[in-house]
Structure formats: C-alpha cells, structure tokens
C-alpha cells in the first residue's frame, strides 16, 4: 500500500490528476513524485526526492508507533479496570475507555498500511476503501469524544443518557468517515498504491471529506478553546491534567491546515512554485506523522496524568 511512481508537476494543471500525498500509511499523499527533474516552475529544475525518504522511513515508523500504542493503550485499559473510581470528569472512565477503543482501532490499521507501503497494496480496492473508512472513523470518533467531554457531564455515569450519546457519537463518526472511503481508491503504478484521493480535487466526495477534516482538526478546537476559557462551567474542564485530552487536537491541527493549503494549490487558488513542489510533500508527511503519534501519546498522557493525581491524592470522581 503505497508506492512512488513518476508523475510530472504539470499534472497540477490537470483537474483529473491524482492527489498522492498519502503520508503515514499511504493515507494522504498529495504529490507523489519520483527523483526525476522537471522544469515546469520558475524556469528552474525541480527536484523531489520525497518518495525514497517516505518508503525508507514510513514502515519502521508505523511499526514502532503500533507497538508503542499497543503497550500504552493496554496499560491504560489495565488502569481503568483496576481503579475505575479514580477517573473523574472530564476524564471519566467511560470517556477514557472509548478513547482507548478509538486508539486501538487506529493502531490496528498501522501494520497492513506499513506492509502496503513497503510492498505495494495487494488487498484490492475494496479493502483500501475499508481501511480509509476505519482510519477516519477512529479519528472522528476520538475528536467528537474529546469535544463532548468539555461540554457535558454525560460521561460520568453509564446510564440511558450516556448510552444514547455513545451510540449517536460513534454512528455520527462513521457517517462522517464515509466520504473518505468514497474519495479513496487504488492506483496502479510500478506497484499498486492505496491512496486517499483517487478523484478530482473538486469532486463532491473529496470536498466533503476535506471540509469534515478541516472542521474536526482545526475549527472544532478553535471554537472549544475560547469557549472553555470564557464559560465558567466549561472552565472546570481545565482542572489539572485535563489538558491531556487536548493532545489529540494539538497533534492533528497541523495536518488539517496542511490539507487546506494542499487543496488551495490543487484548485489553483494559490500559485504552485518549484519550492512548494519540492517541500510540500515533506511538510504534509511530517504533519500526518505527528498526528499518527496520537495513538500512543494520548493513552500515555492520560495514564500519566491519572497516576500523578493518584500520587498527589487529588483524584476526583463524577
């Protein structure tokens, strides 16, 4: 899943060109070029050496991240099982357990993604789309869970209200993830690649997917942050350690901004240059790699904060 094949920068002029920016897990390449030299921009040779770097770094990175995520999520679930009463709002055990499920689902997708990058995607277009669906279902559910934790105390108890909210939130996240599957697919180059955008940049499926990613990764935290500071009731969510829940947004905001810039370039709302051609892949790759780290860093942060509270004797329950 994920292989580089030659694509000329002149394809940026073509609305039907493929967005091959699939960085962590071949789930978001924007321009996926080889080492060839082109002279389309600024009358100067453009060199893009991203592909060899990506294929060398991505598989071991994803493998290490998956292993670390498995350990940290397992430790978090063990802590939840042993001392369920130690978790209080806004990090109640119901919320943390669901976040752990979300990170576990995300981490479970990393091994096939890593193998696909190294050897080419051999599982077919259907499983490629399913991977995109599950990948984004995990991300959207975690984002909605974190957002809801600062606006409601529903996660304090497992009662009819929290059960309805759980079903509604996960169902909504699955619905929001559907455009990612519709916009993704496989492309045959030197080896078959599973890419996120196999459609026109202005296609309804991709535009909806882009809008949802930008709303979740950028707009939602931008609204929640001033709201929690301005509303006294929401400021309670800023008790010591509650900021660990914000780690998810902090890790994915750069990627959301990068996707927006990438779209502006492909839609010709920003003028692409040789410099952007040479560097945008690296910027988007690093930003998505940063976001991928949430599956190991978020459980570790939640567990560390709770252990610190326990040592300090400041833990509270809902």
């Amino acid at each position: 899943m994920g292989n580089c094949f030659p694509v000329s920068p002149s394809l940026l002029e073509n609305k039907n060109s493929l967005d091959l920016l699939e960085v962590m897990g071949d789930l978001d390449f924007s321009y996926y070029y080889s080492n060839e030299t082109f002279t389309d921009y600024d009358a100067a040779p453009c060199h893009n050496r991203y592909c060899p770097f990506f294929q060398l770094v991505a598989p071991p990175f994803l493998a290490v991240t998956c292993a670390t995520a498995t350990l940290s999520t397992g430790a978090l679930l063990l802590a939840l099982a042993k001392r369920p009463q130690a978790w209080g709002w806004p990090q109640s055990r119901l919320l943390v357990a669901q976040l752990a499920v979300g990170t576990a689902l995300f981490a479970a997708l990393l091994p096939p993604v890593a193998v696909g990058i190294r050897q080419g995607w051999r599982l077919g277009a259907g499983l490629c789309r399913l991977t995109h669906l599950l990948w984004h279902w995990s991300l959207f559910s975690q984002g909605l869970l974190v957002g809801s934790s600062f606006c409601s105390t529903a996660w304090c108890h497992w009662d009819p209200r929290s059960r309805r909210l759980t079903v509604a939130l996960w169902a909504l996240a699955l619905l929001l993830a559907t455009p990612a599957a519709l916009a993704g697919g496989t492309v045959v180059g030197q080896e078959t690649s599973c890419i996120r955008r196999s459609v026109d940049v202005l296609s309804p499926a991709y535009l909806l997917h882009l809008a949802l990613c930008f709303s979740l990764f950028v707009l939602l935290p931008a609204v929640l942050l001033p709201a929690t500071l301005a509303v006294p009731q929401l400021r309670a969510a800023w008790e010591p350690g509650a900021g660990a829940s914000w780690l998810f947004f902090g890790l994915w905001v750069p990627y959301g901004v990068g996707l927006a810039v990438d779209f502006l370039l492909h839609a010709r709302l920003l003028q692409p240059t040789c410099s952007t051609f040479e560097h945008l892949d690296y910027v988007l790759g690093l930003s998505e790699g940063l976001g991928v780290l949430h599956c190991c860093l978020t459980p570790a942060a939640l567990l560390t904060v709770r252990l610190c509270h326990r040592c300090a004797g400041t833990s509270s329950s809902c």
Side-chain angles (χ1 to χ4, degrees), residues 8-315:
S8 168
S10 61
L11 286 180
L12 291 175
E13 303 288 346
N14 183 356
K15 291 183 178 180
N16 295 320
S17 62
L18 298 178
D19 184 2
L20 299 177
L21 187 168
E22 302 257 24
V23 176
M24 289 300 112
D26 226 22
L27 291 167
D28 215 31
F29 296 62
S30 185
Y31 322 122
Y32 218 4
Y33 302 116
S34 67
N35 292 332
E36 297 184 21
T37 300
F38 304 99
T39 57
D40 295 87
Y41 299 129
D42 301 336
C46 295
H47 305 271
N48 191 306
R49 297 181 175 87
Y50 175 72
C51 286
F53 170 80
F54 173 77
Q55 288 189 300
L56 177 66
V57 172
F61 170 79
L62 294 176
V64 172
T65 302
C66 180
T68 307
T70 301
L71 293 175
S72 61
T73 302
L76 180 61
L77 290 173
L78 181 62
L80 280 171
K82 284 198 168 186
R83 290 185 58 86
Q85 72 280 3
W87 302 81
W89 186 75
Q91 295 175 327
S92 66
R93 60 185 181 274
L94 294 178
L95 172 68
V96 173
Q98 291 185 77
L99 289 175
V101 171
T103 58
L105 174 61
F106 188 90
L109 298 172
L110 298 183
V113 165
V115 173
I117 294 172
R118 178 70 73 183
Q119 300 179 358
W121 184 257
R122 302 177 182 178
L123 301 179
L127 288 178
C128 173
R129 293 178 182 271
L130 178 61
T131 300
H132 296 323
L133 180 69
L134 296 178
W135 178 284
H136 289 88
W137 187 28
S138 165
L139 291 179
F140 290 163
S141 62
Q142 291 176 72
L144 293 175
L145 281 166
V146 173
S148 67
S149 70
F150 291 95
C151 305
S152 172
T153 58
W155 302 122
C156 288
H157 304 284
W158 185 242
D159 53 24
R161 181 176 67 149
S162 63
R163 287 194 286 269
R164 288 193 298 269
L165 180 58
T166 297
V167 172
L169 188 148
W170 283 87
L172 176 60
L174 182 60
L175 179 64
L176 297 180
T178 302
L182 297 177
T186 56
V187 172
V188 178
Q190 295 174 354
E191 291 183 1
T192 301
S193 296
C194 175
I195 65 172
R196 173 171 294 169
R197 185 167 76 81
S198 60
V199 296
D200 176 23
V201 70
L202 297 179
S203 69
Y206 182 72
L207 288 176
L208 182 56
H209 166 64
L210 178 66
L212 292 173
C213 285
F214 188 78
S215 297
L216 179 74
F217 297 149
V218 180
L219 296 184
L220 180 58
V223 170
L224 284 176
L225 182 59
T228 54
L229 296 176
V231 180
Q233 182 180 0
L234 298 182
R235 276 205 301 271
W238 284 95
E239 292 181 356
S245 299
W246 285 93
L247 184 61
F248 173 86
F249 290 131
L251 292 173
W252 280 106
V253 162
Y255 179 65
V257 174
L259 278 182
V261 174
D262 177 61
F263 168 77
L264 294 176
L265 288 171
H266 278 81
R268 307 297 294 178
L269 299 176
L270 292 178
Q271 183 64 33
T273 66
C274 191
S275 177
T276 57
F277 161 66
E278 292 175 344
H279 298 110
L280 184 59
D281 277 340
Y282 288 96
V283 172
L284 279 166
L286 291 173
S287 64
E288 189 169 8
L290 181 66
V292 167
L293 290 175
H294 87 275
C295 66
C296 55
L297 294 182
T298 299
L302 290 169
L303 181 60
T304 300
V305 166
R306 191 50 53 188
L307 290 175
C308 291
H309 279 196
R310 180 182 176 184
C311 294
T314 58
S315 297

